[in-house]
């Protein structure tokens, strides 16, 4: 059984996107185009069914930081790195209100979620004006590698400084030893 949710998108070329629930938990993203393209009197329809699981697989790379999603204008997740979140609304989450109040087509802002700071990177689709690509990443994941680099740098500088101090002591004692010998000769 196919149930169509109330999510549709129209562009300038008489195409429409629909999020369709196929069964209990499977979603399809349907592209519906009238044919011939750009005709004032189309006489056919071309549909392409894209399983949302395939899109979500590409959004959930193992090396990826944070959560990635594609949202429509109503805050419904059309695709999500967590397949269980597809079809759910994010409009009640704290980052969404800041997102819809952005004037820019793309950008970055910070938001607090459960006492943790997150970076929200967004880009409004140039093809579907109703779609927004969003990445929600804990700032701690951004700074984790830079903190490692910072500590490696501090340890390396510390070791070099220690080496320079030891080398300076050794070389200065060698340069001072002839003068020490002359001084000891006259003091006796």
């Amino acid at each position: 059984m196919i149930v169509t949710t109330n999510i549709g998108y129209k562009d300038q070329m008489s195409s429409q996107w629909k999020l369709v629930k196929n069964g209990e938990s499977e979603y399809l993203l349907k592209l519906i185009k009238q044919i011939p393209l750009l005709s004032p009197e189309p006489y056919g329809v071309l549909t392409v069914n894209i399983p949302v699981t395939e899109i979500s697989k590409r959004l959930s790379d193992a090396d990826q930081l944070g959560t990635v999603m594609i949202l429509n204008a109503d805050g419904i997740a059309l695709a999500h790195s967590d397949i269980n979140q597809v079809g759910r609304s994010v409009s009640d989450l704290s980052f969404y209100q800041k997102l819809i109040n952005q004037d820019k087509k793309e950008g970055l802002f910070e938001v607090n979620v459960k006492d943790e700071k997150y970076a929200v990177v967004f880009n409004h689709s140039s093809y579907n004006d109703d779609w927004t690509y969003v990445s929600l990443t804990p700032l701690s994941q951004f700074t984790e590698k830079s903190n490692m680099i910072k500590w490696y740098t501090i340890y390396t500088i510390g070791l070099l400084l220690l080496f320079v101090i030891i080398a300076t002591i050794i070389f200065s004692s060698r340069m001072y030893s002839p003068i020490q010998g002359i001084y000891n000769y006259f003091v006796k």
Side-chain angles (χ1 to χ4, degrees):
M1 178 178 183
I2 297 177
V3 178
T4 304
T5 61
N6 192 18
I7 303 170
Y9 309 94
K10 284 200 164 244
D11 65 17
Q12 302 81 5
M13 295 179 266
S14 300
S15 68
Q16 190 173 10
W17 290 91
K18 289 205 176 278
L19 184 63
V20 178
K21 190 167 186 177
N22 185 11
E24 287 185 28
S25 62
E26 175 105 8
Y27 282 94
L28 295 173
L29 197 55
K30 281 184 166 253
L31 170 61
I32 304 165
K33 281 220 177 257
Q34 296 178 351
I35 53 174
L37 297 175
L38 304 175
S39 172
E41 296 179 22
Y43 55 83
V45 175
L46 175 69
T47 64
V48 177
N49 294 330
I50 304 167
V52 174
T53 54
E54 291 302 315
I55 298 172
S56 292
K57 281 180 196 175
R58 283 154 181 76
L59 294 178
S60 61
D61 182 13
D63 294 336
Q64 168 184 311
L65 298 174
T67 302
V68 180
M69 60 191 95
I70 301 172
L71 303 176
N72 73 355
D74 298 324
I76 305 292
L78 301 175
H80 199 287
S81 53
D82 178 3
I83 191 69
N84 297 320
Q85 299 300 316
V86 173
R88 293 191 180 172
S89 175
V90 298
S91 59
D92 59 337
L93 298 178
S94 60
F95 79 90
Y96 185 73
Q97 292 306 314
K98 262 185 134 173
L99 178 66
I100 60 174
N101 291 327
Q102 296 292 318
D103 296 337
K104 303 175 278 185
K105 292 219 47 74
E106 60 186 39
L108 164 77
F109 60 88
E110 285 184 27
V111 68
N112 284 325
V113 178
K114 296 180 183 173
D115 296 329
E116 187 173 5
K117 285 189 175 189
Y118 282 79
V120 179
V121 180
F122 66 95
N123 185 359
H124 291 285
S125 174
S126 56
Y127 180 70
N128 291 316
D129 288 335
D130 291 339
W131 290 14
T132 305
Y133 308 104
V134 179
S135 172
L136 188 65
T137 307
L139 285 178
S140 61
Q141 286 185 349
F142 278 125
T143 59
E144 187 176 299
K145 289 188 180 187
S146 64
N147 282 338
M148 279 190 350
I149 293 170
K150 175 181 77 175
W151 286 112
Y152 284 138
T153 304
I154 289 171
Y155 289 140
T156 303
I157 290 172
L159 285 173
L160 287 174
L161 191 59
L162 183 65
F163 174 74
V164 167
I165 290 171
I166 291 172
T168 302
I169 290 171
I170 290 172
F171 287 121
S172 67
S173 68
R174 283 192 180 180
M175 295 201 54
Y176 180 70
S177 65
I179 296 172
Q180 180 72 31
I182 294 173
Y183 174 77
N184 288 340
Y185 177 75
F186 284 112
V187 170
K188 286 185 190 182

